C-alpha cells in the first residue's frame, strides 16, 4: 500500500485575550487579562522608572532585590513566612526602562497575596542589614561574571556599540565601585522617589470568573500616595566601533560578539529584520549555523539576533570557538553575512512558521502573557502589540527581509569583541570592514 504524507497547512495567527484597562484616582493604571482556565494568577507591577545618567549606579537593582526582605507591617523574615503561607512567589528587578515586580499565586489566595504584594511595593523595610547583604551578594555576582568569558564579551560589546553617555553601555546593576558605595539611605531615597502610583501599571492575568480584579487591586493599592520624580526615558546612540581582543591566558576556546547598532520595534523594518536575522543566524538551520557548526565543526552553535531597546538597539552574532579555528571562523562568518545572497522565500516561510507556530506555546500561561504585556508597558508599546507584531511577521516578503538586512547589517558599522587566548592577536584577521585590532 502506498501512502502519502498529509498536507500540513501553515500555522494560523493565534488569538489572545483582549486586555481591559482602567485607572484609579491615585493614578495607578490597571490592565486585566481574563484567561478562563488559568487558576494560577500572575500579577505584575511595571514602574516607569528608567535608569538616568545621574542615578547612583546599582541603587535601583539593590532596591528591587531587597523589596521582599521585610515590610513595615511584616518586618524581617516574617514577610517571607506570610508570603509563603499565601502560596505566592515574588520577584523583582530593575531594567534600563523601568522596574518590574510580580507575584504568581493560586486564584483562591489572590486577595491576601495582593495585600502582601502591595506591602512590598509601598512600604518595604529596606533595612541597613538587608541592603548590606544584597550589596555583598551583588559584589560576589560581579566577581563571578568577570570570570565568565561570555558575559565579559557581552558587556564589552555593549560598551563598544553604544555611546559612552548611553546608560545601556554600562552595567545596569552597577559595577564594583558604584555598588560598594551604596547605603541603605540611598536605597530608601530611591524607593521614595521612584515607586509611586502615578508611575505604575498593574498587569493582572488569570481566571477571574465571579471576581472583580480591579476592585481587588483597588483595595490593596488604592490608598497608595506619591508623585514620581523619575527621569525621562533614555535615548541611545551608536558608540565608537571597536575590534578588540580581551586576553584570557590558556583559554581553550574564544567567545565573541560581532555586530552593531540596530533599530527598535517602532521602526517599520523591524518585522523584516527579525525574519532576516532568523534566516541568517537565528536557528540551527540558519546559514551561519549550517556553515560553522555542521559543515566546519567549529562550534556547538552560533546565534545572530537583535536586542531592541525602547529607542534604538543592537544586533550581534554570538558564539564560542576552539582557539585554533577562531580566526577562520570570523573570516567565514563575515563572508557569509555579506556574500550578497538575498533572503529566500523558503527562509522567510521557515522564520514565519517558527514565530507564529510557537506563539501559542510561548504564551500559553497567565504568567507568560502578563510578562509579555508588562514588557510592552515597559517598552511603551500598545496593548495589542503581540497580535499586531505576529500579523506583521506573517506579511514579510523575501524582498523586504533582504532589503532590511542590507540596510541595517552593514560591514562598515561592525564591532567585534573576542575574549580568548592572547596568541590570537597574531592570527585574527584584519578585515577592511573592522577598525584596527586593540588588545587588553
Amino acid at each position: 500500500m502506498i501512502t502519502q504524507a498529509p498536507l500540513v497547512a501553515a500555522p494560523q495567527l493565534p488569538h489572545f485575550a483582549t486586555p481591559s484597562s482602567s485607572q484609579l484616582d491615585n493614578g495607578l493604571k490597571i490592565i486585566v487579562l481574563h484567561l478562563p482556565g488559568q487558576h494560577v494568577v500572575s500579577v505584575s507591577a511595571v514602574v516607569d522608572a528608567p535608569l538616568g545618567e545621574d542615578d547612583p549606579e546599582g541603587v535601583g537593582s539593590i532596591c528591587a532585590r531587597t523589596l521582599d526582605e521585610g515590610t513595615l507591617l511584616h518586618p524581617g523574615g516574617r514577610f517571607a513566612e506570610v508570603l509563603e503561607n499565601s502560596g505566592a512567589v515574588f520577584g523583582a528587578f530593575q531594567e534600563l526602562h523601568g522596574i518590574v515586580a510580580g507575584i504568581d499565586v493560586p486564584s483562591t489566595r489572590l486577595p491576601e497575596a495582593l495585600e502582601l504584594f502591595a506591602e512590598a511595593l509601598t512600604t518595604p523595610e529596606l533595612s541597613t542589614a538587608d541592603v548590606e547583604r544584597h550589596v555583598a551578594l551583588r559584589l560576589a555576582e560581579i566577581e563571578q561574571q568577570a570570570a565568565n568569558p561570555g558575559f565579559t564579551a557581552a558587556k564589552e560589546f555593549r560598551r563598544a556599540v553604544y555611546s559612552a553617555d548611553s546608560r545601556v553601555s554600562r552595567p545596569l546593576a552597577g559595577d564594583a565601585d558604584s555598588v560598594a558605595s551604596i547605603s541603605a539611605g540611598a536605597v530608601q531615597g530611591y524607593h521614595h522617589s521612584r515607586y509611586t502610583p502615578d508611575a505604575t501599571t498593574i498587569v493582572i492575568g488569570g481566571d477571574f470568573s465571579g471576581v472583580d480584579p480591579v476592585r481587588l487591586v483597588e483595595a490593596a493599592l488604592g490608598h497608595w500616595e506619591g508623585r514620581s520624580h523619575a527621569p525621562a526615558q533614555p535615548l541611545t546612540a551608536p558608540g565608537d566601533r571597536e575590534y578588540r581582543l580581551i586576553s584570557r591566558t590558556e583559554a581553550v576556546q574564544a567567545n565573541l560578539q560581532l555586530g552593531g547598532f540596530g533599530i527598535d520595534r517602532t521602526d517599520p523594518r523591524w518585522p523584516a529584520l527579525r525574519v532576516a536575522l532568523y534566516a541568517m543566524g537565528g536557528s540551527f538551520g540558519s546559514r551561519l549555523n549550517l556553515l560553522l557548526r555542521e559543515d566546519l565543526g567549529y562550534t556547538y552553535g552560533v546565534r545572530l539576533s537583535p536586542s531592541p531597546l525602547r529607542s534604538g538597539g543592537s544586533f550581534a552574532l554570538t558564539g564560542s570557538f576552539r582557539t585554533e579555528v577562531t580566526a577562520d571562523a570570523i573570516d567565514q562568518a563575515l563572508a557569509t553575512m555579506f556574500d550578497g545572497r538575498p533572503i529566500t522565500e523558503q527562509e522567510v516561510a521557515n522564520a514565519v512558521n517558527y514565530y507564529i507556530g510557537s506563539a501559542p506555546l510561548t504564551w500559553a500561561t497567565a504568567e507568560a502573557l502578563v510578562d509579555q504585556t508588562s514588557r510592552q508597558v515597559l517598552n511603551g508599546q500598545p496593548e495589542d502589540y503581540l497580535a499586531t507584531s505576529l500579523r506583521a511577521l506573517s506579511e514579510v516578503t523575501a524582498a523586504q527581509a533582504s532589503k532590511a538586512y542590507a540596510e541595517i547589517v552593514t560591514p562598515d558599522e561592525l564591532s567585534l569583541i573576542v575574549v580568548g587566548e592572547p596568541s590570537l592577536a597574531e592570527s585574527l584577521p584584519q578585515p577592511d570592514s573592522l577598525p584596527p585590532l586593540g588588545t587588553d
Side-chain angles (χ1 to χ4, degrees), residues 294-373:
E294 300 299 327
D295 294 347
L296 298 175
Y298 284 174
T299 177
Y300 285 114
V302 296
R303 184 167 184 81
L304 178 61
S305 58
S307 297
L309 300 172
R310 192 161 176 160
S311 164
S314 63
F315 62 89
L317 171 68
T318 61
S320 57
F321 303 89
R322 301 193 317 275
T323 296
E324 66 273 17
V325 302
T326 298
D328 190 53
I330 294 170
D331 269 339
Q332 297 282 354
L334 287 168
T336 302
M337 291 171 66
F338 302 108
D339 62 9
R341 288 184 295 152
I343 306 298
T344 68
E345 292 289 355
Q346 185 59 57
E347 288 175 322
V348 171
N350 291 343
V352 171
N353 287 343
Y354 169 75
Y355 285 124
I356 294 177
S358 63
L361 180 61
T362 301
W363 293 290
T365 65
E367 179 184 12
L369 278 171
V370 167
D371 178 69
Q372 170 64 28
T373 305

Side-chain angles (χ1 to χ4, degrees), residues 235-258:
L235 300 176
T236 56
D240 296 328
R241 299 166 56 224
E242 291 188 18
Y243 177 26
R244 187 149 58 95
L245 170 66
I246 300 172
S247 297
R248 290 278 177 135
T249 304
E250 298 183 356
V252 297
Q253 69 177 21
N255 292 73
L256 67 80
Q257 295 234 347
L258 171 67

Side-chain angles (χ1 to χ4, degrees), residues 17 33-39 206-209:
L33 297 166
H34 177 48
L35 306 168
Q38 296 282 343
H39 296 292
D207 191 330
F208 300 122
S209 302

